[in-house]
């Protein structure tokens, strides 16, 4: 579990702003679930999704997402992992492969999190941000994610990563604006 509790380049909870936010969100919590819910709802509701708000800059590090108040799903998942880890709760990164349009190619990755809850085990949460047609929630043990997979080429990748996939980092660090990222969303080949 240690790798799901450590700070890193992109999950940089060792920065003063991220640590202070994590502590503030945990204040008054009476259970692990209360802390997870507070962190999840903060990232889901207070951090704007880059596409929904046509917001720049493109962020990748948790501290940058917090500072600018915006990020793609991937970056928002980095911040949520950082807030949870700062509170001593194991958190990892997960990805879904989804159709960019309504169905069929092209496909892209969607970033979300898994948190280890003592009473449940690994539980996926999606702080992408709600909007019409998207209603992600924290309701363990039932997972309420932003998107369902609908076709054979779409799927939840089963791994729980301690660090972001290189293709995600490369995309977020390569482009300067939200629309450039949108035109070049990361994907992986399924085996």
């Amino acid at each position: 579990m240690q790798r799901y509790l450590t700070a890193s380049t992109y999950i940089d909870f060792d920065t003063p702003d991220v640590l202070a936010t994590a502590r503030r969100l945990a204040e008054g919590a009476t259970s692990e679930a209360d802390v997870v819910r507070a962190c999840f709802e903060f990232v889901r509701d207070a951090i704007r999704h880059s596409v929904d708000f046509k917001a720049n800059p493109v962020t990748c590090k948790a501290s940058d997402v917090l500072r600018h108040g915006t990020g793609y799903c991937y970056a928002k998942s980095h911040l949520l992992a950082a807030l949870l880890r700062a509170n001593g709760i194991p958190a990892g990164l997960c990805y879904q492969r989804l159709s960019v349009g309504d169905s069929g190619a092209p496909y892209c990755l969607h970033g979300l999190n898994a948190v280890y809850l003592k009473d449940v085990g690994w539980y996926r949460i999606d702080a992408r941000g709600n909007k019409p047609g998207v209603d992600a929630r924290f309701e363990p043990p039932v997972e309420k994610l932003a998107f369902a997979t609908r076709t054979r080429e779409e799927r939840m990748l089963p791994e729980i990563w301690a660090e972001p996939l290189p293709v995600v980092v490369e995309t977020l660090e390569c482009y300067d604006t939200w629309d450039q990222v949108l035109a070049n969303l990361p994907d992986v080949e399924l085996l």
Side-chain angles (χ1 to χ4, degrees):
M1 281 296 170
Q2 189 56 39
R3 64 190 183 128
Y4 299 107
L5 288 166
T6 58
S8 66
T9 300
Y10 300 102
I11 303 172
D12 57 343
F13 69 80
D14 50 352
T15 60
D17 290 347
V18 176
L19 270 176
T21 301
R23 288 186 183 121
R24 180 178 54 78
L25 290 168
E27 282 177 9
T30 59
S31 70
E32 174 188 67
D34 287 346
V35 175
V36 175
R37 181 182 315 283
C39 293
F40 166 75
E41 290 179 352
F42 171 77
V43 176
R44 183 192 67 189
D45 301 340
I47 304 297
R48 299 172 303 157
H49 188 283
S50 299
V51 173
D52 294 353
F53 291 88
K54 297 178 174 39
N56 289 314
V58 176
T59 55
C60 189
K61 289 182 177 183
S63 58
D64 290 339
V65 176
L66 182 62
R67 180 178 327 110
H68 296 290
T70 190
Y72 266 84
C73 57
Y74 324 105
K76 290 181 72 162
S77 73
H78 302 167
L79 176 57
L80 182 53
L83 295 171
L84 294 170
R85 290 179 187 186
N87 281 304
I89 300 170
L93 307 170
C94 299
Y95 300 94
Q96 283 178 300
R97 186 174 193 250
L98 301 170
S99 175
V100 172
D102 288 334
S103 64
Y107 296 93
C108 69
L109 293 178
H110 168 62
L112 57 150
N113 295 87
V115 58
Y116 190 83
L117 303 173
K118 291 179 185 111
D119 296 339
V120 177
W122 284 108
Y123 173 78
R124 289 187 296 250
I125 50 179
D126 191 341
R128 178 228 177 270
N130 289 342
K131 63 179 188 172
V134 174
D135 187 25
R137 298 181 180 272
F138 177 73
E139 296 180 359
V142 178
E143 292 179 345
K144 302 275 190 170
L145 305 178
F147 304 108
T149 54
R150 302 167 303 215
T151 68
R152 208 182 69 143
E153 294 298 316
E154 293 184 328
R155 68 182 67 152
M156 176 66 70
L157 303 183
E159 298 86 358
I160 300 171
W161 282 274
E163 292 298 321
L165 290 179
V167 67
V168 167
V169 170
E170 182 180 305
T171 299
L172 295 177
E173 291 188 336
C174 180
Y175 299 103
D176 296 321
T177 63
W178 70 270
D179 52 329
Q180 290 172 328
V181 174
L182 183 60
N184 296 281
L185 293 170
D187 189 17
V188 295
E189 290 296 319
L190 297 178
L191 301 174

